[in-house]
Amino acid sequence: EPEVTQTPSHQVTQMGQEVILRCVPISNHLYFYWYRQILGQKVEFLVSFYNNEISEKSEIFDDQFSVERPDGSNFTLKIRSTKLEDSAMYFCASSIRLGPNEKLFFGSGTQLSVL
Amino acid sequence: AQSVAQPEDQVNVAEGNPLTVKCTYSVSGNPYLFWYVQYPNRGLQFLLKYITGDNLVKGSYGFEAEFNKSQTSFHLKKPSALVSDSALYFCAVRGDSGTYKYIFGTGTRLKVLA
C-alpha cells in the first residue's frame, strides 16, 4: 500500500528556534493535513491544505505556524519560534479525494521535543 | 461545530470475547464517520468508515461498526477479540457541509487479556 513519509522521525530543538517538519504525501493525493498528538493522547487538527492554499486551520495554528507545498511533492510545516508547549508528535496525512471513497492516510509522525 | 466523544479511556476485554468501543458525534450536515487504530510509535491506520448506505459497515481485521443516526453513535465492534487487537482506537468525523476537517475523539485504549 502507498505510504505517507515524514522526516525526521525525531527532532529536538531549543525554545525560540525554527523547525521545519517534512512530509511526502501519496503522489496522486489532493488534500493534505497536519495533526498533532500530545503524550499519545488526543489527535488535534492543525491545518488542511487543498489546491495550493490553506482550506481550514485551527486556533492552534497561529502566526507561528505555516505550511507550504513548494515543489508539488513535499508538504512542510514550519514553526517559526518554538515554544515548550509545541512538544508533540506531528502527523501529516493525505487523501485522494473527499466523498464516497475518502480515506486519510497518515505518516508515522515526527516527534518534536522543545527544550 | 463538529465534535466526537469517546466516553471510555480504556476498555478491557478477555481474548475471545466480543468487544465494543463507543463513539458519539455531533456534526453539521451528514456525517462521514471513521475508525482508526494506532499501535505504539506508529501513525494512525484506517479501519473502516461510514459514508452512506448500510448502517453496519465492515472493515479491516474483522472489525465492524454500526451507524445509528438517532443516537448519533458509531460504535466499533468485533465478535471475538484477539490479544493483537490491543491498541489505541480513534473515532473521527467530518461533516459534509463544506468542511475538509476531520475531528478525532480522545481515543480509547483497548486491552485484550489472554
Side-chain angles (χ1 to χ4, degrees), chain B residues 32-53:
Chain B
Y32 290 2
L33 292 156
F34 304 81
W35 277 99
Y36 284 83
V37 60
Q38 186 181 31
Y39 297 100
N41 302 313
R42 301 292 300 275
L44 281 71
Q45 297 176 36
F46 172 83
L47 270 183
L48 51 78
K49 67 181 176 188
Y50 172 83
I51 303 293
T52 186

Side-chain angles (χ1 to χ4, degrees), chain B residues 43-106:
Chain B
L44 281 71
Q45 297 176 36
F46 172 83
L47 270 183
L48 51 78
K49 67 181 176 188
Y50 172 83
I51 303 293
T52 186
D54 222 348
N55 288 345
L56 183 66
V57 292
K58 293 188 185 295
S60 308
Y61 313 120
F63 283 93
E64 57 190 30
E66 186 163 14
F67 170 62
N68 186 317
K69 188 172 182 178
S70 63
Q71 296 185 3
T72 61
S73 68
F74 188 58
H75 300 331
L76 181 70
K77 301 183 182 193
K78 187 173 181 182
S80 178
L82 299 172
V83 171
S84 56
D85 293 330
S86 299
L88 189 55
Y89 290 81
F90 289 95
C91 181
V93 68
R94 185 179 78 81
D96 73 345
S97 58
T99 179
Y100 295 4
K101 179 170 65 178
Y102 297 81
I103 297 299
F104 284 79
T106 50

Side-chain angles (χ1 to χ4, degrees), chain A residues 35-37 40-45, chain B residues 2-9 22-25 34-36 38 44 88-93 102-108:
Chain A
Y35 283 82
R36 76 177 186 187
Q37 185 180 34
Q41 297 299 318
K42 184 175 181 178
V43 175
E44 299 178 305
F45 170 78
Chain B
Q2 302 176 145
S3 67
V4 174
Q6 292 182 243
E8 304 149 320
D9 289 336
K22 294 180 182 175
C23 171
T24 58
Y25 67 90
F34 304 81
W35 277 99
Y36 284 83
Q38 186 181 31
L44 281 71
L88 189 55
Y89 290 81
F90 289 95
C91 181
V93 68
Y102 297 81
I103 297 299
F104 284 79
T106 50
T108 298

Side-chain angles (χ1 to χ4, degrees), chain A residues 2-16:
Chain A
E3 287 186 345
V4 175
T5 305
Q6 288 187 245
T7 55
S9 56
H10 293 85
Q11 174 89 50
V12 180
T13 190
Q14 296 291 324
M15 190 169 56

